[in-house]
Amino acid sequence: MRPEVARDALLATHGGLSLEWCATICHISPMALYRVICAFGQHSLVSVLTRCGLRLPAYILADEKHSRCLTAKVYLPTIVGGRVLWHLGYSDAKSAAAFTQSYGVFQQAALEQEPSYRVKGALTDGFDSTVSSMRTLFPGARLGCGAVSFICQTCVGSLEKPDVRCMSITGSVVRLC
């Protein structure tokens, strides 16, 4: 399989297309694509995506999925830039320390790829632990809150600084409302 075909197929599966659709679009067998995905399974998303030619995102959306694992409540901290999932973590606690540790994995992997990397802006849903961890990890970034559906909303008092304005995402560009 040619490297550019593998890259296109990996980006398509990462973008949400099914294994079958990606194999059809890229004219490769689903088993070959599955083997490529398994081979990359032990690598961080950041290193795989940057090796595929994607630039690290300057503006991110940080969110946490509240879920259940058997009977325990768990949290899946995520970082998205544009339409690409850059980080998917796992935590059994919803504390700021636990989220900072999870989001810190993304930060560390990004700094390994590009030592001068800085996040310029981060959009969150206002969840206290996520907001706190973003402030800790990306102190120079402009921080906003809004609906996860990218609809601009007024910040609702859960942020420490009252002057933080809401941001919205249009494509991969974050702009102040």
Side-chain angles (χ1 to χ4, degrees):
M1 173 180 335
R2 294 186 331 269
E4 59 274 3
V5 172
R7 182 197 65 220
D8 292 345
L10 283 172
L11 290 176
T13 57
H14 195 65
L17 292 178
S18 71
L19 194 67
E20 293 81 12
W21 273 109
C22 293
T24 302
I25 291 168
C26 297
H27 306 291
I28 57 176
S29 78
M31 183 53 77
L33 180 56
Y34 175 75
R35 288 181 181 142
V36 169
I37 292 170
C38 288
F40 280 117
Q42 299 302 314
H43 300 280
S44 78
L45 287 174
V46 173
S47 65
V48 170
L49 293 171
T50 54
R51 286 182 187 155
C52 287
L54 292 179
R55 292 182 34 205
L56 289 166
Y59 298 94
I60 61 173
L61 171 70
D63 193 23
E64 69 294 327
K65 168 80 172 123
H66 302 247
S67 190
R68 293 213 167 268
C69 181
L70 299 176
T71 59
K73 186 148 184 160
V74 297
Y75 306 89
L76 306 172
T78 60
I79 291 180
V80 176
R83 295 181 178 175
V84 178
L85 178 68
W86 286 90
H87 173 72
L88 175 61
Y90 178 89
S91 175
D92 54 3
K94 63 179 179 179
S95 68
F99 281 16
T100 300
Q101 181 181 9
S102 179
Y103 290 127
V105 171
F106 164 78
Q107 181 190 41
Q108 185 61 36
L111 290 173
E112 286 173 8
Q113 296 299 311
E114 188 178 316
S116 63
Y117 175 67
R118 298 290 175 261
V119 171
K120 293 180 181 177
L123 180 64
T124 72
D125 61 357
F127 192 65
D128 290 334
S129 296
T130 302
V131 171
S132 177
S133 61
M134 289 296 109
R135 283 210 174 104
T136 300
L137 294 170
F138 309 113
R142 297 193 75 176
L143 186 63
C145 71
V148 176
S149 63
F150 307 138
I151 298 171
C152 186
Q153 294 182 343
T154 305
C155 298
V156 224
S158 64
L159 298 173
E160 296 167 10
K161 295 181 181 177
D163 64 330
V164 174
R165 292 180 288 168
C166 179
M167 290 188 282
S168 67
I169 294 183
T170 308
S172 61
V173 179
V174 175
R175 61 182 169 80
L176 293 175
C177 296

